[in-house]
């Protein structure tokens, strides 16, 4: 009897292993979005039936041979259907490849749209920056005079004005004498606004190096600070480094303050 029981248990183990394997295959088909057809439904029902049969076998310990024969017959039917299931799976895989290709095209289109939107934002930033510069060109003297307590303010150069001739001679001379580098020369030429004025308090001479952006950025702070340093070398007088814009992030406002750069928020 022990040998017979061992064989039965071995056959049960083999059957259970086949069932587990088949369940895994079915679950994989479901995970890939396989369409459930009538055959899969019948197989699932057969597997449920087999599980119930196995549970009953364990509980009752009776009619083992008859139930095992039924299970074996069901397995034989399912094995006969494997070829068709593989064909269905292959079709599903092919459909998945087609979906992947469509998704790839969609992702490429979205990436292109995002690139275009980014460029539009850049272009809008440029337009806003130019608009701000034109607005400041009309009012920078009065704004700076009020903000910094100046009088007799004069725009020596800007992005929309030709550089004052005396100032141009001064920086040319400083460059030729080696007091400033070519990079510093270019920085002065590219500074958005340079003003020369007198302090209201005592009439002493003072200059202003100002960079403008619609939204003030860290590079504006650095440029204003560098331009102010060059002007101090050129004229040996106090220079205010300043940035102007419609807004500035709080962290950059603190950075500007730490760098000794004044901030000017200009309203519309």
């Amino acid at each position: 009897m022990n040998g017979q029981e061992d064989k039965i248990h071995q056959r049960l183990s083999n059957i259970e292993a086949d069932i587990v394997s088949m369940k895994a295959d079915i679950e994989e088909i479901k995970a890939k979005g396989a369409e459930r057809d009538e055959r899969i439904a019948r197989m699932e029902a057969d597997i449920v039936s087999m599980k119930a049969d196995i549970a009953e076998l364990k509980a009752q310990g009776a009619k083992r041979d008859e139930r095992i024969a039924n299970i074996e017959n069901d397995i034989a039917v399912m094995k006969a259907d494997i070829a068709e299931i593989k064909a269905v799976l292959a079709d599903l895989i092919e459909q998945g490849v087609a979906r992947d290709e469509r998704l790839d095209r969609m992702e490429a289109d979205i990436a292109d749209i995002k690139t275009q939107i980014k460029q539009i934002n850049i272009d809008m930033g440029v337009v806003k920056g130019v608009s701000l510069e034109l607005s400041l060109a009309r009012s920078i003297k009065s704004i700076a005079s009020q903000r910094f307590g100046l009088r007799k303010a004069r725009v020596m150069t800007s992005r929309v004005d030709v550089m004052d001739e005396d100032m141009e001679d001064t920086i040319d001379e400083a460059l030729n004498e080696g007091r400033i580098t070519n990079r510093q020369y270019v920085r002065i030429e590219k500074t958005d606004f340079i003003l020369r004025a007198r302090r209201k308090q005592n009439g002493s001479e003072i200059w202003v190096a100002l960079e403008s952006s619609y939204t003030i950025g860290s590079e504006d702070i650095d440029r204003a600070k560098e331009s102010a340093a060059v002007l101090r070398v050129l004229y040996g007088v106090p220079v205010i480094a300043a940035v102007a814009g419609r807004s500035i992030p709080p962290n950059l406002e603190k950075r500007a303050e730490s760098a000794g750069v004044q901030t000017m928020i200009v309203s519309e």
Side-chain angles (χ1 to χ4, degrees), residues 3 13 21-22 35 44 46 48 62 66 74 88 128 172 178 197 205 209 226 228-229 266:
S13 297
S21 175
M22 286 184 292
E35 296 180 1
E44 288 175 338
D46 289 341
V48 171
E66 181 183 353
D74 289 337
V88 172
K128 288 179 178 179
D172 283 339
E205 182 179 359
E226 184 179 352
V266 184

Side-chain angles (χ1 to χ4, degrees), residues 7-19 75:
K7 290 180 181 179
I8 291 172
H9 283 301
Q10 181 61 45
R11 293 175 69 187
L12 285 174
S13 297
N14 292 340
I15 292 168
E16 288 175 339
D18 287 341
I19 291 171
I75 291 173

Side-chain angles (χ1 to χ4, degrees), residues 136-199:
L136 284 175
R138 295 189 295 269
S139 58
I140 189 61
K141 290 192 292 185
S142 61
I143 293 175
S145 296
Q146 183 177 4
R147 175 68 171 78
F148 303 122
L150 309 178
R151 63 184 180 85
K152 294 185 178 180
R154 177 184 174 192
V155 177
M156 302 300 287
T157 186
S158 74
R159 297 288 290 274
V160 295
D161 294 311
V162 177
M163 182 180 292
D164 178 85
E165 187 174 345
D166 291 338
M167 181 179 178
E168 188 173 9
D169 291 340
T170 298
I171 63 174
D172 283 339
E173 182 180 344
L175 179 63
N176 293 332
E177 292 175 354
R179 291 190 291 119
I180 63 172
T181 64
N182 187 68
R183 181 179 182 278
Q184 290 173 318
Y185 182 97
V186 173
R187 173 87 297 275
I188 290 298
E189 283 192 322
K190 290 186 175 181
T191 303
D192 289 342
F193 294 94
I194 294 178
L195 287 78
R196 184 178 187 178
R198 297 281 178 180
R199 289 191 183 275

Side-chain angles (χ1 to χ4, degrees), residues 3 38 43 57 81 83 131 135 164 173 197 200 210-211 242 249:
E38 185 177 354
M43 286 191 292
L57 279 171
D81 291 336
S131 175
S135 176
D164 178 85
E173 182 180 344
K200 287 183 180 180
L210 185 144
E211 288 290 322

Side-chain angles (χ1 to χ4, degrees), residues 59-255:
Q60 297 178 1
K63 297 183 180 180
R64 291 174 179 160
D65 292 340
E66 181 183 353
R67 290 178 178 174
I68 290 172
N70 291 337
I71 293 172
E72 288 176 335
N73 290 335
D74 289 337
I75 291 173
V77 172
M78 286 186 285
K79 285 184 176 181
D81 291 336
I82 287 297
E84 187 169 354
I85 293 173
K86 287 183 177 179
V88 172
L89 179 59
D91 183 61
L92 291 173
I93 292 173
E94 184 177 349
Q95 293 178 22
V97 171
R99 284 194 297 270
D100 288 341
E101 291 177 352
R102 292 173 62 189
L103 289 173
D104 289 342
R105 289 194 297 270
M106 290 171 60
E107 288 175 345
D109 290 341
I110 290 172
D112 182 59
I113 291 171
K114 289 174 67 177
T115 299
Q116 294 184 43
I117 291 174
K118 183 177 180 181
Q119 186 59 51
I120 290 171
N121 288 333
I122 292 172
D123 294 342
M124 286 299 297
V126 172
V127 171
K128 288 179 178 179
V130 171
S131 175
L132 176 63
E133 286 182 5
L134 293 174
S135 176
L136 284 175
R138 295 189 295 269
S139 58
I140 189 61
K141 290 192 292 185
S142 61
I143 293 175
S145 296
Q146 183 177 4
R147 175 68 171 78
F148 303 122
L150 309 178
R151 63 184 180 85
K152 294 185 178 180
R154 177 184 174 192
V155 177
M156 302 300 287
T157 186
S158 74
R159 297 288 290 274
V160 295
D161 294 311
V162 177
M163 182 180 292
D164 178 85
E165 187 174 345
D166 291 338
M167 181 179 178
E168 188 173 9
D169 291 340
T170 298
I171 63 174
D172 283 339
E173 182 180 344
L175 179 63
N176 293 332
E177 292 175 354
R179 291 190 291 119
I180 63 172
T181 64
N182 187 68
R183 181 179 182 278
Q184 290 173 318
Y185 182 97
V186 173
R187 173 87 297 275
I188 290 298
E189 283 192 322
K190 290 186 175 181
T191 303
D192 289 342
F193 294 94
I194 294 178
L195 287 78
R196 184 178 187 178
R198 297 281 178 180
R199 289 191 183 275
K200 287 183 180 180
Q201 185 177 10
N202 55 23
S204 62
E205 182 179 359
I206 188 168
W207 289 61
V208 179
L210 185 144
E211 288 290 322
S212 65
S213 286
Y214 193 88
T215 300
I216 298 170
S218 58
E219 67 279 1
D220 300 309
I221 296 171
D222 295 337
R223 291 168 184 164
K225 184 177 180 180
E226 184 179 352
S227 295
V230 179
L231 288 174
R232 293 188 192 101
V233 172
L234 291 172
Y235 295 100
V237 297
V239 180
I240 297 172
V243 288
R246 302 296 189 201
S247 63
I248 181 172
N251 63 312
L252 292 185
E253 189 170 12
K254 292 179 180 178
R255 178 182 171 185

